[in-house]
Amino acid sequence: MPRTVHHRMKRLLPAALLAVFGLSACTDSSQPGGAVGPDLEARMEIRDAVRNNGTPGFYFVSPIAPTLASFPGIFDAARSPVVEVCVFTAGACAGAPVATYALGSGVTVDNTAQLYRADWPTVGLPVNTTYRIRVLDGINVMGHADAKRVGPGETATQLTAVGIVPLGNSSRLAIRFRIERNDPPTVTITSPANGAVIPSGSSITLTGTASDPQEGNLSSQIVYRSSQVIEPLGTGASLPVILPSGRNTISASVTDARGATTTTSIQVVVSIVSVPLTLNVPFGGTASLPITLSEPAPAGGLVFTVSSSDPTRVGVTPASTTVTIPAGAQSANVVLSGVAPGAATVTVSNADFGTATSQVATTAALDIVETSVNFPQGRIVTFTVRIRSAGVDVAAPIGGFSVT
């Protein structure tokens, strides 16, 4: 089955911003004027929606990072972000956070500027110590920025060049960031219909539509799965498939660029059962209706329910109202009775493995006993009509019937 790989959308910075933040530049302490060693370059950074493949919808703004001229989404003022500051060394936070701010206790919402605010006092911080500023949404880190005081022999430009926010001589660092609302996408399976029953081995086409309030049409990114198959069936607005036998829960999922996923599902039964399209049952007699599976019954066997649309004409014998096909077997017989002349639909069904129908007729023949009759003028003559079924005489059904 085809596999699906999702590619996260990335925003590219203009060359001017790359130059300012040094995302492609290196400064080595071995070079004249350098102050930050190459071992720091790989781990010092600013990470958000437009820098270093950060979380979509999260943006640092000035003074940590340049504020974008415009933002693609809608500001979300209903979040509860937490800002943590820790000593960052050897590629990880060391010890407990040196500062923590939550909504209502250090973090405020600025609805006018459409951003969140927190202020971190930096008076007395030692030089040569790097701090990581993390913004969390629950347990998820939305973004982070690395900062340190400008020490002897260093400049703010040199720190910025390797992705470090220079603290300088200010008494605080204004931590400003924006979180945008992410309304989840919608997805619908348009074909087949929920509850559809299809013959085993037949190809069907799964079709669906998906859209996202922020990103528009995502139909090409729909991922289809079946409850009977481990791997995804495939991806796209339209996908031809041959489903395994039995009941399949078909799900369609779509994930937007910010990680919001929506899933919908339908039921499709792939039928493995068949019966003859037509059958005659002698009036007053019985006949066998064979049930056939296109593949062996699974472990535990399969139980089928048998019913007649008109049991006053075509009856199902009490022993045949349910029929079990043992595990590994592929056939069984149902005994039908001819109750009265006429037709009925006999249905054989299993909720998970399909339904089949047969048009069954109870048949009989009318016969005049006398081989010849004379009708003298003015006299009434009687002759005898009998009912025969399977070559023998049979009684009329309860209530009788008229013969013209």
Side-chain angles (χ1 to χ4, degrees), residues 10-96:
K10 300 180 180 179
R11 303 182 189 277
L12 298 179
L13 287 177
L17 290 184
L18 290 174
V20 170
F21 276 81
L23 299 182
S24 61
C26 297
T27 302
D28 193 325
S29 59
S30 64
Q31 301 298 322
V36 181
D39 60 315
L40 295 176
E41 295 171 9
R43 63 177 186 266
M44 298 307 175
E45 62 182 6
I46 299 173
R47 183 180 291 268
D48 63 8
V50 293
R51 284 160 278 266
N52 297 303
N53 196 26
T55 302
F58 173 82
Y59 305 87
F60 279 114
V61 298
S62 180
I64 289 180
T67 303
L68 298 180
S70 62
F71 294 94
I74 300 171
F75 175 61
D76 189 350
R79 305 291 274 273
S80 299
V82 172
V83 177
E84 285 187 354
V85 182
C86 67
V87 174
F88 189 71
T89 181
C93 283

Side-chain angles (χ1 to χ4, degrees), residues 185 247 256 337:
R247 180 175 294 275
D256 65 17
S337 59

Side-chain angles (χ1 to χ4, degrees), residues 98-127:
V98 299
T100 301
Y101 308 104
L103 191 66
S105 58
V107 176
T108 59
V109 182
D110 186 337
N111 284 294
T112 301
Q114 296 193 341
L115 50 81
Y116 289 87
R117 295 173 172 268
D119 293 305
W120 172 39
T122 58
V123 175
L125 292 179
V127 296

Side-chain angles (χ1 to χ4, degrees), residues 379-391:
R379 301 283 300 275
I380 295 176
V381 177
T382 300
F383 60 91
T384 305
V385 178
R386 62 185 175 182
I387 307 171
R388 295 178 64 80
S389 177

Side-chain angles (χ1 to χ4, degrees), residues 26 34 38 41 76 93 198 208 229 258 266 285 313 336 359 393:
C26 297
E41 295 171 9
D76 189 350
C93 283
I198 62 174
V229 181
R258 302 185 191 185
I266 61 171
R313 297 183 182 277
L336 305 177
Q359 301 304 312
D393 293 352

Side-chain angles (χ1 to χ4, degrees), residues 4-10 53 56 215 221 255-258:
T4 302
V5 178
H6 291 288
H7 299 279
R8 175 170 288 183
M9 297 177 62
K10 300 180 180 179
N53 196 26
E215 299 172 44
Q221 300 178 34
T255 302
D256 65 17
R258 302 185 191 185

Side-chain angles (χ1 to χ4, degrees), residues 16-330:
L17 290 184
L18 290 174
V20 170
F21 276 81
L23 299 182
S24 61
C26 297
T27 302
D28 193 325
S29 59
S30 64
Q31 301 298 322
V36 181
D39 60 315
L40 295 176
E41 295 171 9
R43 63 177 186 266
M44 298 307 175
E45 62 182 6
I46 299 173
R47 183 180 291 268
D48 63 8
V50 293
R51 284 160 278 266
N52 297 303
N53 196 26
T55 302
F58 173 82
Y59 305 87
F60 279 114
V61 298
S62 180
I64 289 180
T67 303
L68 298 180
S70 62
F71 294 94
I74 300 171
F75 175 61
D76 189 350
R79 305 291 274 273
S80 299
V82 172
V83 177
E84 285 187 354
V85 182
C86 67
V87 174
F88 189 71
T89 181
C93 283
V98 299
T100 301
Y101 308 104
L103 191 66
S105 58
V107 176
T108 59
V109 182
D110 186 337
N111 284 294
T112 301
Q114 296 193 341
L115 50 81
Y116 289 87
R117 295 173 172 268
D119 293 305
W120 172 39
T122 58
V123 175
L125 292 179
V127 296
N128 298 322
T129 298
T130 302
Y131 298 89
R132 173 152 289 188
I133 304 161
R134 303 195 306 166
V135 179
L136 296 89
D137 182 21
I139 62 173
N140 299 316
V141 178
M142 303 189 72
H144 63 251
D146 297 320
K148 70 187 295 284
R149 285 189 60 191
V150 178
E154 296 177 333
T155 67
T157 300
Q158 290 169 343
L159 295 180
T160 300
V162 290
I164 301 177
V165 178
L167 297 179
N169 297 319
S170 300
S171 61
R172 63 182 178 86
L173 174 65
I175 301 170
R176 305 289 184 262
F177 55 90
R178 174 185 173 92
I179 304 174
E180 293 185 346
R181 191 174 72 214
N182 184 28
D183 297 322
T186 59
V187 59
T188 302
I189 298 175
T190 57
S191 180
N194 185 32
V197 178
I198 62 174
S200 176
S202 60
S203 176
I204 64 169
T205 299
L206 305 176
T207 59
T209 59
S211 62
D212 183 80
Q214 289 80 37
E215 299 172 44
N217 190 351
L218 298 181
S219 298
S220 63
Q221 300 178 34
I222 297 175
V223 180
Y224 298 97
R225 290 179 172 84
S226 166
S227 58
Q228 301 242 34
V229 181
I230 296 176
E231 298 293 332
L233 298 174
T235 303
S238 178
L239 181 70
V241 294
I242 297 177
L243 297 174
S245 60
R247 180 175 294 275
N248 290 254
T249 299
I250 303 299
S251 65
S253 301
V254 67
T255 302
D256 65 17
R258 302 185 191 185
T261 299
T262 301
T263 301
T264 188
S265 63
I266 61 171
Q267 301 289 314
V268 176
V269 175
V270 177
S271 177
I272 64 171
V273 60
S274 62
V275 295
L277 295 178
T278 61
L279 184 71
N280 288 325
V281 182
F283 170 47
T286 61
S288 291
L289 177 71
I291 302 174
T292 305
L293 304 182
S294 60
E295 58 187 65
L302 291 178
V303 178
F304 288 90
T305 300
V306 184
S307 61
S308 170
S309 64
D310 189 352
T312 66
R313 297 183 182 277
V314 177
V316 180
T317 61
S320 295
T321 54
T322 59
V323 175
T324 300
I325 300 180
Q330 290 185 247

